[in-house]
């Protein structure tokens, strides 16, 4: 957080990047997880053998990566808002 406070331009760039990563990581994530679980229910263990287990693990990893990007986004947002509001009170 201290680095973000000292480098507002980089914090803004990182904010935008993390927003894009979060968006890309969550596009259709819920739908794909629902379809994966439906496949498991319909085909059983054979679905896992055909790649559904790998797909499920990839979807979960994508979800966690999106969550990490969201946390980075919120940290950058907080640093920038604190900097902007602190400066406004000093003027």
């Amino acid at each position: 957080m201290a680095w973000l406070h000292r480098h507002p331009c980089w914090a803004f760039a990182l904010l935008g990047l993390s927003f894009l990563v979060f968006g890309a990581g969550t596009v259709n994530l819920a739908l794909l997880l629902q379809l994966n679980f439906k496949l498991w229910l319909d085909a059983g263990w054979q679905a896992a053998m055909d790649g559904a287990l790998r797909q499920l693990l990839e979807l979960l990893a994508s979800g966690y990566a999106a969550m990490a990007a969201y946390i980075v986004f919120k940290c950058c947002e907080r640093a920038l808002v604190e900097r902007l509001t602190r400066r406004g009170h000093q003027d």
Side-chain angles (χ1 to χ4, degrees), residues 5-87:
H5 284 284
R6 287 191 312 270
H7 301 93
C9 290
W10 284 108
F12 186 73
L14 188 57
L15 176 94
L17 179 63
S18 62
F19 178 77
L20 293 174
V21 171
F22 174 72
T26 57
V27 171
N28 294 327
L29 185 61
L31 176 64
L32 291 174
L33 279 170
Q34 180 184 13
L35 292 172
N36 185 275
F37 287 132
K38 185 178 182 323
L39 178 63
W40 278 78
L41 292 175
D42 292 344
W45 191 247
Q46 184 62 41
M49 301 309 242
D50 292 338
L53 180 60
R54 179 178 176 192
Q55 183 187 40
L56 176 62
L57 294 175
E58 289 171 356
L59 289 171
L60 292 174
S62 177
Y64 277 101
M67 183 175 51
Y70 180 74
I71 291 169
V72 170
F73 173 84
K74 292 302 286 182
C75 289
C76 292
E77 177 194 37
R78 180 176 178 182
L80 290 170
V81 167
E82 286 176 358
R83 182 178 177 88
L84 290 171
T85 55
R86 183 179 58 237
R87 278 190 143 182

